[in-house]
Amino acid sequence: MPSHAWLRWRYHYPQRAFPYADLVAQNGRRSRDEPEYELLDTGVFDGDRYWIVEADYAKADPDDMCIRVRLTNAGPQTATLHALPTVWLRNTWSWEEGAPRPRLAAVDDATIGIEDSLLLQAAPGPDGSLPPQVYCDNDTNTERLFGSPGSARYPKDGINDHVVHGADTVNPAREGTKAAFWYRVTVPAGQTVHLSLRLAPQAGPAAFGPAFDEVLARREREADEFYAGLAPPGTSAEDAAIMRQAFAGMIWGKQFYHYDVAAWLRGDPAQPPPPPGHRSGRNAGWRHLDASDVMSMPDPWEYPWFAAWDSAFHAVALAHLDPAFAKYQLLLLCREWFQHPNGAIPAYEWAFDDLNPPVQAWAALQVYEIDGRRDKHFLGRIFAKLMLNFTWWVNREDPAGNNVFEGGFLGLDNIGPIDRSHLPEGHVLEQSDATAWMAFYCLNLLEMARELDLDDLVVKFMEHFALISEAMRDRDLWSEEDGFYYDVLRRPDGSATPLRVRSMVGIIPLFATKALREDDFERVRRHCRSRRRPITSAPTGPVSPDRFADVPEEHVVRTDDGERFVAVGVAAHGRVRRILPHLFDEESFLSPYGLRALSRWHAEHPFSIDLAGWTATVGYEPAESSTGMFGGNSNWRGPLWMPLNYLVLRTLEEYDINFGGGVKIEYPTGSGRQQTAGAIAEDLRQRMLSLYRRGPDGRRPAYGWVERLQHDPNWRDHLLFFEYFHGDNGAGLGAMHQTGWTGLLADLVARPVVRQ
């Protein structure tokens, strides 16, 4: 539940030693052409010798948490498990000399006292006895790590060493800054035992018993009712389960995030000083950034830090659950302790100076829409901050002043042949995607200004959009021969080389499209009349500012109720018609599960370029990249990538809503079937959801070749939301513990295509 009144988390623990060494050794030997060696590949779960651990949390009131832990022996024989519900205090005392050290201490045999404010109580175990309490300190074991003595007599691994090895590493005085109840339970094969705990400000005589059980049962019922209300009428049970688990993952992805850049660069006074170059290293230009906030993380297990455009997509899904928190996520990166004084928005922890696509305005409009189009205060707050960011983009990422942008990385990793953020000296890369993102940004800010009745700014963004549109037509970004947009590399000698890679770089210009209603068009026209400045529109081409009637009839679209629109976009009508056959070709971008980020055409037609003494090549790779351009599996967003699939779908949906069913497109390419944009959007939605639906053979495409995930009833219906997906068979890849933007699947169930 978004209120955290009801939470459930499930773990599977092997009954044998965790195979750390095997995982490291096997992955160290594997080449980039082999799949990653995963935990299930080690055989540690063979024979079903593992524990299922489910932890339920239910609030009796805002400060009173009932906790039930269910321990199930999935194995074929009776087994014993050591379960240690643990509480610890965040170590802030190591940062400053003389900082106070908080305290945990035993109140009685059933209760751990947490400072003077909370108590953690434990019920007796299955054998009727209370578990012993074990204590250590939440301090690093510096002797083990660095060979130097530390101040903690019982460092943070003390409980582990005591339980596993019998070491004398827990405090017999039963106090410290980390503590656990030590349950030892023996469970027959296939059986389950329960443990009960309660976290509350004060102990009660009836902390456990029927009232405790009723809190858990009531909160679970309320959660069922809440999610039933989010599923539209007619939603299948399977889609409702996909939606609910995706939403649940978004909630579990919320974490407290603390990063004081200035303090980090200086180093902690109570710790050894950092190396000399540390103060001028990573993020040195962001000393104002001081994060101490609850944030939505891309993946709380593998990527527990924010990324700007990830957060924007997270907000769209979260808006269904908790609109206030979704707005908070969007506003947060624009607050003065995040946004740079020059207007830049931090990209992600590892390099705030990198650029993520500017999707915050689009996301704010989506959240505004999901929340009922009523919170103009939110819209006005974020609009003011995004104006600063837009100006930063114009001043910093268009160095030639020609309205063609050079955003660099922009989250696309090595989807192209070169590292776009680190070019050879003297080379300039004019980017189709960066330029189109800025046109997209213009149109979304225009829409926000229109919603806020800021007429002058509507015109300002319309004119800026016109300049970017003209630049995209006048430069070499468009290939008439291929019918596609490419990046263009300009060399020191002035020559220009298009990087003819058919990727999402050339699809992003489609996003920069909006239908202006007649009254909006007239408003812009009136402001432009005195200057005789044409309003650039596409797919219509240049339009006279004199009268709406001057717009050629074939460029005016009438909806079913007679309302008139003019569509504006960076890609003219003829170019859109050239791009869509690529996008909807099943031998190119269109896969059974959505749209590939890189065209399958490159399997037979790899692209290569000679650059400063070396050759760069791009071929179609449906899963991981075989290059190491960015380290690791550097094509980690993969050929089938949820956020851009989602943007294509919503672009088609908006086009259909605005223009009605009069415009039809061949889909799939070569099929001879003409379909409306809404019908195509619906088909894409079905393809994307089919990643997680069980097919006639009982298999979920996202679980690929992993047989236990496909068929084992203890695993198959507990969904892992992957970072990206195999371009041909849909297998999930990359991070897998709720990668935030894959949570957009929940939005696709809760907010299906409106019109088909």
Side-chain angles (χ1 to χ4, degrees), residues 501-613:
V501 176
R502 297 182 188 178
S503 73
M504 278 291 171
V505 166
I507 302 302
I508 289 168
L510 298 180
F511 303 160
T513 301
K514 186 167 290 292
L516 289 183
R517 289 180 170 83
E518 183 171 1
D519 58 344
D520 293 330
F521 185 90
E522 286 293 326
R523 183 187 306 176
V524 176
R525 180 189 63 77
R526 286 194 302 271
H527 281 78
C528 295
R529 180 185 295 163
S530 62
R531 295 176 54 199
R532 308 290 299 175
R533 181 177 181 82
I535 304 167
T536 302
S537 74
T540 65
V543 175
S544 165
D546 289 337
R547 291 182 301 112
F548 190 83
D550 286 348
V551 179
E553 188 62 26
E554 65 269 23
H555 300 146
V556 178
V557 180
R558 288 178 172 80
T559 61
D560 295 341
D561 59 6
E563 194 170 9
R564 298 196 297 175
F565 293 84
V566 172
V568 298
V570 296
H573 182 68
R575 293 184 179 181
V576 173
R577 289 290 189 181
R578 297 283 306 281
I579 295 170
L580 292 182
H582 295 292
L583 188 61
F584 299 150
D585 186 347
E586 292 174 309
E587 294 301 317
S588 182
F589 286 97
L590 184 62
S591 89
Y593 310 104
L595 298 166
R596 303 175 177 99
L598 187 66
S599 172
R600 198 170 184 274
W601 183 83
H602 285 298
E604 302 296 330
H605 306 89
F607 172 81
S608 62
I609 182 174
D610 293 324
L611 185 67

Side-chain angles (χ1 to χ4, degrees), residues 122-143:
D127 63 358
S129 65
L130 285 169
Q133 300 174 28
V134 284
Y135 290 77
C136 64
D137 282 304
N138 191 23
D139 289 86
T140 298
N141 188 336
T142 56
E143 184 171 355

Side-chain angles (χ1 to χ4, degrees), residues 6 58 79 94 138 156 191 202 223 225 280 366 401 408 439 485 487 496 528 554 595 626 752:
W6 170 259
S94 295
N138 191 23
K156 67 194 310 177
Q191 299 299 303
Q202 58 186 9
E225 292 170 3
S280 58
Q366 294 290 307
Y485 284 103
D487 290 346
C528 295
E554 65 269 23
L595 298 166
S626 60

Side-chain angles (χ1 to χ4, degrees), residues 707-725:
E707 293 304 314
R708 184 179 288 274
L709 296 178
Q710 292 289 12
H711 300 298
D712 190 321
N714 283 333
W715 298 69
R716 68 186 182 191
D717 295 323
H718 301 282
L719 303 184
L720 299 171
F721 290 89
F722 293 88
E723 189 176 357
Y724 55 94
F725 302 87

Side-chain angles (χ1 to χ4, degrees), residues 7 45 103 123 127 136 266 306 388 474 589 646 659 662 695 710 742 746:
L7 298 165
F45 287 98
R103 181 173 177 267
D127 63 358
C136 64
R266 289 194 303 269
F306 78 90
L388 298 175
D474 294 342
F589 286 97
Y646 183 87
F659 299 155
Q710 292 289 12
T742 302

Side-chain angles (χ1 to χ4, degrees), residues 376-427:
K376 290 193 176 183
H377 176 67
F378 157 70
L379 212 58
R381 287 181 68 194
I382 197 164
F383 178 77
K385 291 302 190 93
L386 293 178
M387 285 276 289
L388 298 175
N389 179 246
F390 181 85
T391 303
W392 176 86
W393 269 88
V394 171
N395 291 338
R396 296 290 294 270
E397 299 304 319
D398 177 21
N402 59 10
N403 295 296
V404 176
F405 290 82
E406 305 166 14
F409 168 66
L410 281 179
L412 290 180
D413 289 17
N414 68 346
I415 202 168
I418 60 176
D419 181 344
R420 303 195 304 172
S421 294
H422 302 91
L423 301 173
E425 186 175 356
H427 290 68

Side-chain angles (χ1 to χ4, degrees), residues 19-87:
Y20 291 107
D22 184 33
L23 286 165
V24 172
Q26 291 291 340
N27 279 308
R29 286 194 288 267
R30 292 200 171 190
S31 72
R32 295 187 184 277
D33 296 322
E34 297 174 280
E36 186 174 355
Y37 185 68
E38 300 279 7
L39 183 59
L40 284 174
D41 298 326
T42 67
V44 74
F45 287 98
D46 290 355
D48 291 335
R49 296 178 185 276
Y50 65 93
W51 295 93
I52 298 171
V53 180
E54 282 195 333
D56 296 338
Y57 303 83
K59 290 184 179 180
D61 65 42
D63 299 317
D64 184 353
M65 180 75 79
C66 301
I67 305 167
R68 177 181 60 205
V69 183
R70 289 177 291 181
L71 309 172
T72 300
N73 178 4
Q77 297 175 331
T78 297
T80 299
L81 177 69
H82 296 247
L84 291 106
T86 303
V87 58

